[in-house]
Amino acid sequence: MDLNLSISNISKTYNSKKVLNNCSFVFEKGNIYCIVGPNGSGKSTLLRISALLEEADDGKVAYKNGDNLLDDSTDLRRKITLVFPRGGLFNTTVFKNCAYGLNLRRKAQGYIKEKVEEALREVGLAHKMEQNALTLSSGEAQRLALARAIALEPDILFLDEPTASLDPASVIIIEKIINMLKKKRHIIIIMATHNMFQVQRLANEVIFLYNGEVVETANVKDFFENPKDERTLRFINGEMIY
Ligand SMILES: Nc1ncnc2c1ncn2[C@@H]1O[C@H](COP(=O)(O)OP(=O)(O)O)[C@@H](O)[C@H]1O
Ligand SMILES: [Mg+2]
């Protein structure tokens, strides 16, 4: 599967406030894309619309296999996973939390065991399989949320602020997992973050969203060393309040 995602001229209005205005971009396999921008600039909304969880008022979200447009089907939706910030965990074991999506898909128990154990190993939680998820530290809980997504083997993984409010050690662990996923599984990772150091550590491509508009898109080097828009420069320099 050579999946790619293009969004074109996406606009969205909530309560007569335009939160996305004419956003376009193409996401391709094997890359990590960081969507950055001040609070309220529309990052989460753009992720939800791109992940087909919400509809745009205008514009198109197109998933393609090479050049072939894919229909919006259950099959397609199963290739896409979004991890929400503080993605809700249930009052049961780490294993059962991780198996949740696979159970919904009615996979065989042997298959589920294999995928869940593999995902938990990848995030370093295999030794906590039988622990109640609600007793995990916030860093571990976020790793479990990631493992739950990994177990589904998505082709495109959306992460909304995956390290928000985590301690520095947990941030590094989560970033290692994200990098490992890119290398080992060769998927598209699209993440919203406002940690500029994280962007430098993880991103191949950066999309700067400001007031619902895509102000700048560039590879990570050009974004930081050679920004084209004056607003990007102000944002990088920390002159925007967020
Ligand atoms: N479901 C919703 N209903 C009404 N307003 C919303 C909704 N979701 C987001 N918004 C508004 O849209 C704007 C962009 O929000 P969001 O996409 O969450 O930005 P970000 O993730 O960059 O902080 C904000 O002003 C927010 O209050
Ligand atoms: Mg957000």
Side-chain angles (χ1 to χ4, degrees), residues 20 40 42-43 47 60 101 179-180 192 195 201 229 242:
L20 290 176
K43 301 183 294 298
L47 288 185
K60 258 204 202 107
N179 253 327
M180 179 274 298
N195 180 336
R201 289 191 293 263
D229 195 288
Y242 63 92

Side-chain angles (χ1 to χ4, degrees), residues 14-15 17 19 37-46 48 160:
Y14 291 123
N15 313 321
K17 182 178 180 257
V19 297
N39 248 327
S41 53
K43 301 183 294 298
S44 296
T45 307
L46 190 63
R48 289 194 306 272
D160 197 351

Side-chain angles (χ1 to χ4, degrees), residues 10 30-31 38 50 71 89 98 104 108-109 152 155 182 186 234:
I10 296 291
N31 282 321
S50 301
D71 290 337
L89 296 177
C98 192
L104 279 184
Q109 290 308 306
L152 297 170
D155 288 296
K182 174 186 142 185
H186 208 61
R234 278 173 44 220

